[in-house]
Amino acid sequence: MADKEATIYIIDLGKSMGERHGGRKETDLDWAMTYVWEKITSTIALDRKTATLGVVGLRTDRTENELGEQESFSNISVLQEIGQLLLPGLKELRPKIRVSNTYDGDAISAIVVAIQMISAYCKRLKYRRKIVLVTDGRGSLDGDDIPQITEKMKSDSIELVIEVELILTILSMASKRRTKTETRQAILSVAGSMASANHDQAMNEETLKTLADASDGVFGTMQQAIEELGMPRLKATRPVHSYRGQLTLGNPDEFDSAMCIDVERYPRVMVRRPLSASNYVQRSNLSISHESIQSSATILPDVNGVGGILPQPQNPLASVHNARTYQVEDENAPGGKRDVNRDDLAKGYEYGRTAVHISESDLNVTKLETQAGLEIIGFIPWATYERCMHMSVSCAIIAQKTNTKAIMALSSLIHALFELESYAVARLVTKSDKGPVITLLAPSIEVDYECLLDVQLPYAEDVRSYKFPPLDRVITVSGKRITEHRNLPSPALTKAMSDYVDRMDLSSAGKDDEGNDCEYMQMTDTYSPVLHRIDQAVRWRAIHPTKPIPPPYEILTRYSKPPESLVAKSKHRLEKLMAAADVKKVPPKAKSRKRTRNEVKPLSGLDVGALLGSKHKRVNLSKENAIPEFRQTLDKAESLDMIKDAAKQLSAMIESQIKESFADQGYQSALEKLGVLREEMIEMEEPDVYNDFVRILKKKLLDEELDGDRREMWWLIKKEKLGLIPKSVSSPSTITDDEAKEFWSSK
């Protein structure tokens, strides 16, 4: 279980936060809220009830806090009480964050309000307490009670983070985008008007810095905080043991000399999956009318203290629930099939394309009765194991934390394996009656801990052996070995590739903090773009429902391209490599054939079809080889009439196959021909030929003109999405996307 958290965000909403500095189009408040919203949405994304937060407004027009009766706590409002914040609460919080019309409000008093909120909520329970203050440092501060405040925060273990947006900092950032003369003029133009403000800010900065240092907190500028937002935050999880028992060598029940160590097994590495999407549909009016009063309204006291009902906005979306039905063939039932309950079904397993039934009694015979345990069954040298045999993520095996004897015994085993350069092979059963797995135990000795690392090994049935031809020689049918061949690299090409790879070496292309050469793409500096880009997009959309998604953070795309310095340095080697490999530019692929698809010509250059006089002859498609002959006919077609004639023959064949099909035996073959017809007409840019036929086919299927009820064929056509070809797929088409969607209705 993750640690419980309680965080209070104190946001300065004073009138000065509505100003714009540093050449930005957004106000100082909007700029600062970039940091705050990112932190809040990150907490919401955890989806944990124990990850709570609250929001306090500083320098607000109203006073809404429990200490508001005292004058020093005026213009401070609690915008969000401590608790788990979800998306509906976030939508209610957003309009409350706006610039006020006052300059009054004490940041130190706001911290006291936050301390009082945390103490009342957390009491003496174990929480990670944190207060984050975001301000421009231009309000009034009363630092007389700082010693008592710091003592209270230390006693309650409250972490204080202060982010200050200073005018001097903004001015220095803006000067980076100006010349020296422009910067000097800008400083001189605002120096007089900002002299008193900067003096107050400097004093406030010193006061807040003293408070942060005294309470062992963090003090920084808003620019630093926003720059750090691009650094992905790793999700820390508390590991849960997957096995807790004994590690044995030999049978302790039969032999007194058998080894038996109490151990625990924890995951060392876990695969993190990106956020998955959920399916929703537009809620109908009928479902809204059946909502209960409790779900659509909240009972709150009115201005007179009498309970009243406050309507809540309806969610226009509803979750999609999947339902599965089971059917069996029944001639007496409508449609020839009858629904059955799942309890009436027997278990079956797929064996090839056949469903094999197995009874419960037979199934119990196949189950292996096992007992939980970790048994060493052998040892192998390091050199005989290949890393490609890994079949799972790694786990760590440690001794029981309070068992001194087990700690010493496991340490002895780890050092013995390390000194002998050996691995242990073990049989692992994590729970009773669970299938056993074979694992490899490797010793790991670090400065502060020792453990065994284990990965799952494959069984013999899991290994598939494949043979591939060698890369350095060609073996003919007679067994002769050829080392010079057009498919083999020449010595010049091999040397050119080796030189290019050496020049593109990344092991020393990076620079450390001191400017020395180091590895360019270190493991600790690389992050999964899929995970963190999706997280970034979701957090942004939660705060800005209509604004476009911003570009990904620079650190996510930093290593998507090689370093420019290496590319420039290796350009000459690349040119030599291209010359040695005889690289030629491939002409761009044609968008479509447009009835001029290139034919495959024989090596002799002779056109056998022209010599036999059969090129312009009408070809009749055969049922046995309809699809290849249809494509060959299109290859030789020189006019639209020939294309239509071939499509007409295939269309008639599809109708005939559906009409003559016994039940659904011929449906798959007809679907294949229909898919080929649609694909070829798109490629030939003749969508109307297909659209005309599929309209007629739909009418005949629904009107039962093809020898009875063939609605199942229509359902298969919808499933394979073989409907009309819209203009978005083929530009010559006259069908819009809406018309293509309407085509699926059974009308």
Side-chain angles (χ1 to χ4, degrees):
M1 181 178 178
D3 295 334
K4 293 185 286 187
E5 303 175 3
T7 306
I8 297 289
Y9 293 93
I10 303 174
I11 305 172
D12 191 346
L13 303 178
K15 191 173 183 179
S16 59
M17 292 292 288
E19 300 176 2
R20 293 173 173 82
H21 298 95
R24 296 189 304 270
K25 296 181 180 180
E26 56 187 352
T27 63
D28 294 345
L29 177 61
D30 294 337
W31 186 57
M33 288 305 297
T34 304
Y35 167 79
V36 178
W37 289 133
E38 187 78 11
K39 293 294 184 181
I40 291 177
T41 51
S42 298
T43 304
I44 296 175
L46 296 177
D47 195 21
R48 294 200 335 252
K49 292 184 178 180
T50 56
T52 59
L53 61 89
V55 180
V56 175
L58 170 62
R59 295 201 291 169
T60 58
D61 294 327
R62 303 176 62 182
T63 302
E64 296 178 354
N65 64 84
E66 294 185 359
L67 305 177
E69 296 179 357
Q70 304 179 33
E71 184 179 356
S72 58
F73 294 95
S74 60
N75 299 105
I76 299 174
S77 300
V78 178
L79 306 180
Q80 173 69 38
E81 293 287 350
I82 300 181
Q84 184 188 14
L85 185 63
L86 300 177
L87 190 58
L90 183 64
K91 292 181 179 180
E92 295 178 2
L93 178 63
R94 284 179 54 202
K96 298 179 182 179
I97 307 298
R98 60 180 184 272
V99 178
S100 66
N101 296 318
T102 182
Y103 293 94
D104 299 332
D106 186 2
I108 303 295
S109 299
I111 294 176
V112 174
V113 172
I115 294 174
Q116 190 271 338
M117 293 174 61
I118 289 179
S119 300
Y121 181 82
C122 300
K123 298 180 177 61
R124 295 191 176 276
L125 300 177
K126 187 178 179 181
Y127 272 86
R128 292 178 56 188
R129 301 168 170 88
K130 187 176 182 179
I131 297 175
V132 180
L133 171 62
V134 177
T135 178
D136 61 359
R138 299 172 69 181
S140 59
L141 291 180
D142 183 5
D144 295 340
D145 298 330
I146 286 182
Q148 294 86 342
I149 295 174
T150 56
E151 182 180 355
K152 176 63 175 175
M153 284 193 292
K154 287 183 178 180
S155 63
D156 291 353
S157 300
I158 299 177
E159 179 186 358
L160 178 63
V161 178
I162 301 177
E163 305 291 351
V164 181
E165 180 188 1
L166 297 178
I167 298 297
L168 293 176
T169 305
I170 297 171
L171 193 58
S172 66
M173 291 188 302
S175 65
K176 296 179 182 179
R177 299 188 293 269
R178 302 175 178 176
T179 62
K180 292 182 178 180
T181 304
E182 292 173 340
T183 303
R184 185 178 303 163
Q185 292 176 354
I187 294 175
L188 291 176
S189 63
V190 299
S193 60
M194 291 176 52
S196 59
N198 288 341
H199 176 70
D200 295 338
Q201 280 188 296
M203 294 181 61
N204 292 341
E205 176 191 3
E206 189 65 29
T207 302
L208 294 175
K209 191 174 183 180
T210 302
L211 175 61
D213 294 339
S215 58
D216 298 331
V218 179
F219 181 88
T221 63
M222 186 55 60
Q223 178 66 21
Q224 295 172 341
I226 292 179
E227 287 178 352
E228 292 177 357
L229 291 180
M231 184 66 64
R233 289 171 296 280
L234 303 181
K235 184 179 181 180
T237 57
R238 179 175 295 178
V240 179
H241 64 83
S242 57
Y243 171 75
R244 178 177 289 173
Q246 293 182 337
L247 170 63
T248 60
L249 177 58
N251 190 347
D253 297 333
E254 298 182 4
F255 305 101
D256 296 336
S257 59
M259 182 189 72
C260 187
I261 306 174
D262 295 326
V263 297
E264 297 176 355
R265 181 175 182 259
Y266 294 91
R268 190 168 185 261
V269 178
M270 294 294 290
V271 178
R272 183 184 171 189
R273 307 290 182 186
L275 293 174
S276 58
S278 301
N279 295 327
Y280 294 91
V281 294
Q282 194 75 22
R283 189 187 296 271
S284 62
N285 295 331
L286 181 61
S287 62
I288 293 179
S289 62
H290 283 76
E291 290 286 340
S292 63
I293 296 178
Q294 287 81 0
S295 64
S296 61
T298 303
I299 300 178
L300 293 175
D302 58 14
V303 292
N304 298 322
V306 182
I309 296 179
L310 179 63
Q312 298 293 330
Q314 288 287 349
N315 186 1
L317 299 179
S319 301
V320 176
H321 300 280
N322 296 326
R324 177 175 295 181
T325 59
Y326 300 90
Q327 295 178 331
V328 295
E329 294 183 358
D330 188 353
E331 297 180 356
N332 299 326
K337 292 187 177 182
R338 174 171 53 87
D339 294 344
V340 294
N341 295 327
R342 190 178 187 277
D343 298 335
D344 299 335
L345 301 178
K347 281 191 175 181
Y349 295 88
E350 187 176 4
Y351 184 76
R353 297 186 62 85
T354 306
V356 180
H357 164 66
I358 182 170
S359 62
E360 290 291 338
S361 58
D362 295 336
L363 185 62
N364 293 331
V365 175
T366 63
K367 290 184 178 180
L368 180 64
E369 296 182 0
T370 58
Q371 297 294 329
L374 180 59
E375 307 170 6
I376 296 178
I377 58 179
F379 301 91
I380 60 173
W382 290 356
T384 59
Y385 181 75
E386 299 180 1
R387 287 182 176 268
C388 62
M389 304 295 283
H390 287 6
M391 287 192 64
S392 67
V393 296
S394 60
C395 294
I397 298 176
I398 62 174
Q400 284 187 357
K401 301 175 183 178
T402 58
N403 192 335
T404 307
K405 184 178 179 180
I407 293 174
M408 293 296 295
L410 185 64
S411 178
S412 301
L413 176 62
I414 292 172
H415 282 269
L417 291 174
F418 183 79
E419 293 173 3
L420 297 177
E421 298 184 354
S422 299
Y423 295 135
V425 180
R427 177 181 182 269
L428 172 64
V429 179
T430 56
K431 294 180 181 179
S432 298
D433 296 331
K434 191 174 182 181
V437 295
I438 304 299
T439 61
L440 183 80
L441 307 182
S444 176
I445 302 176
E446 302 295 339
V447 177
D448 51 349
Y449 71 93
E450 299 173 348
C451 68
L452 288 173
L453 302 179
D454 78 274
V455 292
Q456 183 179 344
L457 296 179
Y459 287 104
E461 294 82 0
D462 299 325
V463 179
R464 299 290 186 271
S465 298
Y466 299 94
K467 290 185 178 181
F468 298 94
L471 300 177
D472 58 346
R473 61 190 181 276
V474 174
I475 301 177
T476 62
V477 179
S478 61
K480 183 179 179 181
R481 297 189 176 186
I482 302 175
T483 57
E484 294 184 3
H485 191 268
R486 60 186 179 87
N487 293 335
L488 297 177
S490 63
L493 178 58
T494 303
K495 184 178 184 306
M497 177 60 75
S498 177
D499 294 341
Y500 178 68
V501 171
D502 293 340
R503 190 58 63 93
M504 288 293 292
D505 184 15
L506 298 177
S507 60
S508 59
K511 298 290 183 182
D512 57 15
D513 297 336
E514 299 178 357
N516 301 323
D517 293 341
C518 65
E519 185 180 356
Y520 173 69
M521 192 174 172
Q522 297 187 17
M523 186 66 69
T524 55
D525 296 335
T526 56
Y527 301 91
S528 172
V530 175
L531 292 175
H532 300 290
R533 175 57 174 166
I534 292 178
D535 290 348
Q536 176 194 5
V538 170
R539 291 195 301 267
W540 177 270
R541 180 58 67 231
I543 302 300
H544 309 283
T546 57
K547 292 184 179 180
I549 304 296
Y553 295 129
E554 184 271 337
I555 194 171
L556 298 180
T557 59
R558 179 184 301 172
Y559 301 114
S560 60
K561 297 180 180 179
E564 296 181 359
S565 58
L566 281 185
V567 174
K569 188 188 301 183
S570 59
K571 183 178 180 181
H572 180 62
R573 299 288 183 184
L574 179 60
E575 293 174 352
K576 285 188 174 182
L577 176 62
M578 294 174 64
D582 193 20
V583 176
K584 298 179 181 179
K585 186 176 181 180
V586 178
K589 186 178 179 180
K591 185 177 180 181
S592 65
R593 295 183 305 220
K594 296 183 180 179
R595 300 191 296 275
T596 58
R597 181 164 57 179
N598 296 328
E599 298 182 34
V600 179
K601 296 182 179 180
L603 297 177
S604 61
L606 297 176
D607 190 346
V608 180
L611 294 175
L612 298 177
S614 60
K615 185 172 183 179
H616 304 289
K617 204 172 185 179
R618 183 178 185 272
V619 178
N620 294 323
L621 305 182
S622 63
K623 293 184 178 181
E624 295 78 12
N625 201 29
I627 293 178
E629 291 178 359
F630 175 68
R631 284 175 168 159
Q632 292 173 6
T633 303
L634 295 184
D635 290 340
K636 300 176 182 179
E638 294 183 347
S639 64
L640 180 59
D641 293 337
M642 296 182 68
I643 295 175
K644 289 184 175 180
D645 180 67
K648 185 177 180 180
Q649 292 186 57
L650 189 63
S651 302
M653 202 172 296
I654 294 172
E655 289 187 3
S656 175
Q657 199 161 9
I658 297 174
K659 186 175 182 179
E660 298 173 0
S661 173
F662 178 74
D664 58 351
Q665 291 182 356
Y667 289 175
Q668 291 299 327
S669 178
L671 278 176
E672 183 182 6
K673 292 182 177 63
L674 186 64
V676 171
L677 178 61
R678 189 177 193 273
E679 176 186 347
E680 293 296 330
M681 292 302 101
I682 292 175
E683 195 171 354
M684 299 292 289
E685 292 193 348
E686 296 295 343
D688 293 340
V689 176
Y690 175 83
N691 291 339
D692 294 341
F693 166 68
V694 80
R695 285 195 185 100
I696 298 173
L697 179 63
K698 173 188 175 182
K699 184 177 182 302
K700 290 183 178 180
L701 290 173
L702 298 182
D703 293 346
E704 301 183 2
E705 297 180 9
L706 298 178
D707 193 18
D709 186 2
R710 300 290 182 179
R711 291 179 180 270
E712 186 176 353
M713 180 63 187
W714 171 244
W715 180 83
L716 292 174
I717 294 175
K718 292 175 65 176
K719 180 182 177 182
E720 298 297 330
K721 299 180 181 179
L722 299 178
L724 296 175
I725 302 175
K727 192 176 183 65
S728 58
V729 176
S730 180
S731 55
S733 176
T734 58
I735 304 298
T736 63
D737 291 338
D738 294 336
E739 292 174 341
K741 293 179 181 178
E742 187 180 354
F743 175 75
W744 294 121
S745 63
S746 300
K747 296 181 180 179

